[in-house]
Each structure stands twice: as structure tokens, then as C-alpha cells.
Amino acid sequence: EVQLQASGGGLVQNGGSLRLSCTASGFTFEDYTIGWFRQAPGKERDGVTCIGSSDSSTWYADSVKGRFTISCDNAKNTVYLQMNSLKPEDTALYYCAVDLHPGGISTAQVLGVMTEGWYDYWGQGTLVTVSS
């Protein structure tokens, strides 16, 4: 059974930092993409960043470029999202998800957006609140 466990959310002041973790289990595919999405109150869920397992290539939404960094620790089956210079508009429920289609990271890089429908399994979400 594929499972994704997201953690690390919390309350932080404007300009602060948080690190989210997503620990994956239950699959042995060699070429997959782990992505982070977020959903702010009253808004649709949007893709934030993703990383490909084969070469650790990444994609970032313009809104987080230069502030967020995605990385992976294959030994721990964990993907991290380091969030710096947080803003109140970053407040949202953050989800991690896995796209098991080979080359999924390329889709985001070519289209310039993460396609939610390509992601096969989702974690439960972790809440990030940035106070002004």
C-alpha cells in the first residue's frame, strides 16, 4: 500500500522559515515524481514544487522561486520542502503527492504547471500558517 506522510507544518511569523517532510512508503518504482501542492482557504489547490527521483531535477512555481527548496533523501524515502522568507499568502494546507508515471517531472517543466490529475497518491496535508 502506497502511503505518504506529510509533517512539519506550524505557525510562523512573516519572514520566518519552516521545513516540511514527506515520507513515502509502499512503492518501488525507480522513476517517479514527488510534488508539493497547497490549498489556501477558499482557493483551489495549486502545485508548488516537485522533484524527479531519477535525477533530482526540480520545478518551482513562480510564487515560491528563490524562497522554497525541495530536496530528497533517498535513504530515508523522504522529500523535504525548506520554506524561507515566508509570507502570509503562503498560509495553506500543504499536501505531498506522488506521480508514478515515468518522466513526470518533465511534464511540469514543459507545461510550467503541476498537473494534479497525474498524481496517484496523496498525503494527508500539513497546515502552514504565516502571521503578519
Side-chain angles (χ1 to χ4, degrees):
E1 179 184 6
V2 176
Q3 291 187 332
L4 298 169
Q5 181 70 39
S7 61
L11 174 64
V12 64
Q13 291 186 338
N14 190 13
S17 298
L18 279 176
R19 189 178 78 160
L20 305 184
S21 300
C22 176
T23 300
S25 62
F27 62 94
T28 57
F29 292 84
E30 294 185 355
D31 187 356
Y32 56 88
T33 302
I34 297 284
W36 286 97
F37 292 78
R38 67 184 181 185
Q39 187 168 23
K43 296 188 177 181
E44 294 185 350
R45 188 160 57 186
D46 293 322
V48 176
T49 179
C50 53
I51 187 166
S53 65
S54 60
D55 60 0
S56 295
S57 58
T58 59
W59 177 88
Y60 295 92
D62 288 343
S63 58
V64 305
K65 278 181 182 176
R67 300 188 299 122
F68 289 12
T69 303
I70 190 170
S71 62
C72 61
D73 184 335
N74 290 330
K76 296 182 178 180
N77 293 327
T78 299
V79 170
Y80 301 101
L81 180 60
Q82 179 66 43
M83 305 185 295
N84 299 329
S85 302
L86 282 162
K87 306 174 182 179
E89 52 263 43
D90 294 317
T91 294
L93 194 58
Y94 283 72
Y95 299 87
C96 63
V98 62
D99 171 2
L100 297 176
H101 302 85
I105 182 67
S106 299
T107 302
Q109 293 169 335
V110 169
L111 296 180
V113 65
M114 291 168 61
T115 304
E116 185 172 325
W118 282 92
Y119 285 77
D120 302 281
Y121 296 92
W122 294 77
Q124 83 286 5
T126 184
L127 182 62
V128 172
T129 304
V130 184
S131 63
S132 58

